[in-house]
Amino acid sequence: MEETVEDPPTSAILLDHCHFSQVIFNSVEKFYVPGGDVTCYYTLTQQFIPRRKDWIGIFRVSGLSPEHSEMLNGSLLSSQVGWKTTREYYTFMWVTLPVDLNSESAKQQEVQFKAYYLPKDDEYYQFCYVDQDGVVRGASIPFQFRPENEEDILVVTTQGEVEEVEQRNKELCKENRELKDSCDGLQKRNSDMQAELHKTQEELEILKSTTQKLEQKVKAQKESWETELLQLKEQNEKMSSENEKMGVRVEELQAQLSTQEKEMAKLIQGDQEKTEQLERLTEEKGQLLLTLTQQHQKKLEQTIEEMKQEETSALKRQQALKDENSGLSRKLSENKVLYNGLQREKERLERENDLLKRENNRLLSYMGLDFDSLSYQVPTSDQGGAGRNPALVYGNPYSAGLWTHPFALPLPPHQLTVRKCPTCKSDFADDILDPAAEQQHLQPLCLNCPICDKTFPAKDKQIFEDHVFCHSL
């Protein structure tokens, strides 16, 4: 099948649902000579209004004999054609719309088919008028494309055949009148259906308008929902940020609490060491009182007085440590109260932010971290001074080799002991009995705490700095 510029509008509507009487084809020949153009004449009825995309097609009619084509005479039914839908056209031409539909000349129309697009076989074909919806509005009698022959020019019939043809003609006329009556009924029905179609189109327009309004409302509602969703996402991100900050703050407070607890434990341990040192001093005092003689009474009283002063100083330092311990205990209690408050606040935030379980789980994992505390070491005495009192920097003044009574007998040279520096382990010179010389020798080798008078070797400078820093906590 041949097609021009663009395909015509077709449909799959069966011929039983088409209206063949709205367009009537006129002057249709029984056959057309191949190689020449064919002009198709048709008339538009009053019930039909042509439209811009209407077209006239040539359709092939199969299974039809010449006798049948003469008897049909324009009353072609769907059961008598070889095509079922308008998609089976061979070729087509667009119709020309009349300028004035109300004029009589507008009803008589014609369209010309070029010879190049016409069929080349001798099968039967027919013209069909199809509207822009793909519905057939009119059909012609079948015709052929073949050259003239003598049978078409001269036909000789007998009297009996003439009478038979006349009788057949009468029957066809009667059938034609019946078909015309049926056509009038169909035209009336068509008018009713046209009115119903117009009403349906108006309802369709109303439905389209309503649909557009609903689409606009849906679009506006969708934009509103998207805006609300964006706001909710921003609020969720803000709550997540605040929750993370609160978690960091809780971790910092926990780290501070842990550090203060460690410092508290160190202070308690230092207090215990001071108490043990005081007990050792008291025990040493009792032992010294038993070993003193009448000859050393005066010196012993002086020594006791010094020990009392040392004991008083130790008691003061102990009291200061206890006060400091009490202050740290109060601070610890306050920090625990603050920690408990933050813990309750954290639990409230966990209940409010149930949707952020993943972040809260990560927060709980962060709460398990611990910071390194400041290093602190208690200085220990050297192995060489194991026999000395740890509370006495220069050892026991009454032990052999460190102090000699002015009335005591001199010891033999082999019994004299050489004194060594407790810090650098070097021997003292001949001025062994001069305390000022010893102090001058030890001063650059020791570091004294300006708060508690504790002494540290110069090599333990880091321990000395940590000790002084602990006093500032």
Side-chain angles (χ1 to χ4, degrees):
M1 292 189 287
E2 301 290 341
E3 298 183 0
T4 57
V5 183
E6 62 176 309
D7 294 335
T10 60
S11 69
I13 299 175
L14 297 177
L15 300 181
D16 295 338
H17 302 284
C18 298
H19 306 280
F20 291 90
S21 61
Q22 294 182 352
V23 177
I24 299 174
F25 289 89
N26 305 317
S27 303
V28 179
E29 302 291 341
K30 293 182 180 180
F31 63 90
Y32 293 94
V33 179
D37 298 340
V38 175
T39 302
C40 174
Y41 301 94
Y42 60 94
T43 303
L44 302 176
T45 60
Q46 295 180 356
Q47 293 81 10
F48 180 72
I49 299 176
R51 290 181 288 180
R52 186 175 62 86
K53 286 289 186 177
D54 293 354
W55 54 283
I56 294 177
I58 296 178
F59 292 82
R60 180 179 178 179
V61 182
S62 62
L64 192 65
S65 64
E67 293 79 5
H68 290 159
S69 65
E70 292 177 358
M71 290 187 295
L72 288 176
N73 194 21
S75 60
L76 186 64
L77 300 177
S78 61
S79 60
Q80 298 168 325
V81 299
W83 52 277
K84 299 297 182 183
T85 65
T86 55
R87 297 176 180 175
E88 302 177 25
Y89 66 91
Y90 183 88
T91 186
F92 78 98
M93 290 295 294
W94 297 110
V95 300
T96 303
L97 292 179
V99 179
D100 186 7
L101 294 176
N102 296 324
S103 63
E104 186 65 26
S105 60
K107 303 299 180 180
Q108 302 295 329
Q109 298 291 325
E110 65 180 50
V111 65
Q112 189 178 47
F113 290 88
K114 297 297 182 180
Y116 176 79
Y117 299 105
L118 296 176
K120 302 299 189 290
D121 55 16
D122 58 352
E123 295 291 337
Y124 282 91
Y125 294 87
Q126 66 176 158
F127 299 115
C128 288
Y129 189 103
V130 184
D131 64 8
Q132 67 178 18
D133 296 326
V135 179
V136 178
R137 298 298 180 178
S140 70
I141 63 173
F143 55 86
Q144 289 180 291
F145 292 94
R146 63 181 179 83
E148 283 189 66
N149 52 37
E150 295 180 357
E151 294 180 358
D152 296 326
I153 299 175
L154 179 62
V155 177
V156 180
T157 59
T158 62
Q159 184 65 28
E161 290 177 353
V162 171
E163 292 177 356
E164 184 180 355
V165 170
E166 289 178 354
Q167 183 64 27
R168 182 59 181 170
N169 190 20
K170 289 180 182 179
E171 292 176 357
L172 290 175
C173 288
K174 182 179 179 180
E175 184 180 354
N176 189 20
R177 285 193 297 270
E178 292 175 355
L179 290 174
K180 286 183 178 179
D181 296 337
S182 176
C183 180
D184 294 336
L186 291 174
Q187 288 178 354
K188 182 178 180 181
R189 183 181 175 187
N190 183 36
S191 300
D192 296 338
M193 293 183 68
Q194 290 288 343
E196 185 178 354
L197 177 62
H198 182 69
K199 183 178 179 181
T200 305
Q201 288 178 349
E202 291 179 353
E203 293 177 354
L204 180 61
E205 293 295 331
I206 295 173
L207 288 175
K208 286 183 179 179
S209 177
T210 305
T211 303
Q212 291 178 355
K213 292 180 180 178
L214 289 175
E215 289 178 352
Q216 292 176 358
K217 289 182 180 180
V218 169
K219 185 177 181 180
Q221 186 68 28
K222 182 179 179 182
E223 293 177 354
S224 176
W225 287 345
E226 290 178 352
T227 304
E228 292 178 359
L229 180 60
L230 183 61
Q231 293 177 357
L232 289 175
K233 287 183 178 179
E234 292 177 354
Q235 292 178 1
N236 189 12
E237 292 177 356
K238 185 177 180 181
M239 291 294 292
S240 300
S241 177
E242 292 178 356
N243 193 11
E244 291 178 358
K245 292 180 181 178
M246 186 61 68
V248 173
R249 178 59 180 166
V250 169
E251 291 176 3
E252 292 177 353
L253 290 175
Q254 285 183 343
Q256 293 179 3
L257 180 61
S258 176
T259 304
Q260 290 178 358
E261 288 178 351
K262 291 181 180 180
E263 293 295 332
M264 188 68 176
K266 291 180 181 179
L267 290 174
I268 292 173
Q269 183 180 359
D271 188 19
Q272 292 177 354
E273 291 177 355
K274 292 292 183 181
T275 304
E276 293 176 357
Q277 184 179 1
L278 181 60
E279 291 177 355
R280 288 196 301 269
L281 287 174
T282 304
E283 184 180 355
E284 185 179 358
K285 175 184 174 182
Q287 293 177 358
L288 289 174
L289 287 174
L290 293 175
T291 58
L292 285 175
T293 62
Q294 292 294 334
Q295 298 175 358
H296 300 92
Q297 186 66 33
K298 185 176 179 181
K299 188 65 176 178
L300 181 58
E301 291 177 356
Q302 182 180 0
T303 304
I304 291 173
E305 185 66 22
E306 292 177 355
M307 292 182 66
K308 285 182 178 180
Q309 292 178 359
E310 290 180 0
E311 182 179 359
T312 303
S313 176
L315 290 173
K316 289 180 180 179
R317 290 196 297 270
Q318 183 181 5
Q319 185 64 33
L321 289 174
K322 287 182 178 180
D323 294 339
E324 183 178 359
N325 189 10
S326 177
L328 290 174
S329 297
R330 288 194 300 273
K331 290 182 180 179
L332 180 60
S333 300
E334 293 174 357
N335 288 333
K336 285 183 177 180
V337 172
L338 179 59
Y339 172 75
N340 291 333
L342 290 174
Q343 187 69 19
R344 289 192 295 271
E345 180 68 13
K346 173 180 162 289
E347 292 175 357
R348 183 180 67 82
L349 289 175
E350 287 178 352
R351 289 192 298 270
E352 292 178 356
N353 296 297
D354 191 25
L355 297 178
L356 303 175
K357 289 183 180 180
R358 186 176 296 177
E359 285 77 4
N360 285 336
N361 290 332
R362 188 170 55 191
L363 173 65
L364 292 175
S365 66
Y366 286 156
M367 290 173 60
L369 297 177
D370 189 11
F371 291 164
D372 297 334
S373 60
L374 294 173
S375 60
Y376 173 76
Q377 298 179 0
V378 179
T380 58
S381 59
D382 298 333
Q383 295 179 359
R388 299 178 183 176
N389 192 331
L392 299 177
V393 177
Y394 304 107
N396 190 351
Y398 298 99
S399 61
L402 296 179
W403 180 82
T404 306
H405 192 271
F407 299 102
L409 294 175
L411 295 174
H414 65 276
Q415 294 183 0
L416 293 175
T417 59
V418 180
R419 291 186 57 196
K420 293 181 179 293
C421 176
T423 304
C424 64
K425 306 302 180 180
S426 63
D427 298 336
F428 284 114
D430 296 337
D431 52 355
I432 187 172
L433 299 178
D434 189 359
E438 294 180 9
Q439 184 69 21
Q440 185 177 4
H441 174 76
L442 293 173
Q443 186 173 4
L445 301 177
C446 299
L447 298 173
N448 296 325
C449 178
I451 299 175
C452 64
D453 297 331
K454 192 170 183 177
T455 304
F456 296 89
K459 61 182 180 178
D460 296 334
K461 185 177 180 181
Q462 182 62 41
I463 298 176
F464 168 74
E465 292 177 354
D466 294 343
H467 173 77
V468 175
F469 177 72
C470 290
H471 286 299
S472 62
L473 298 176

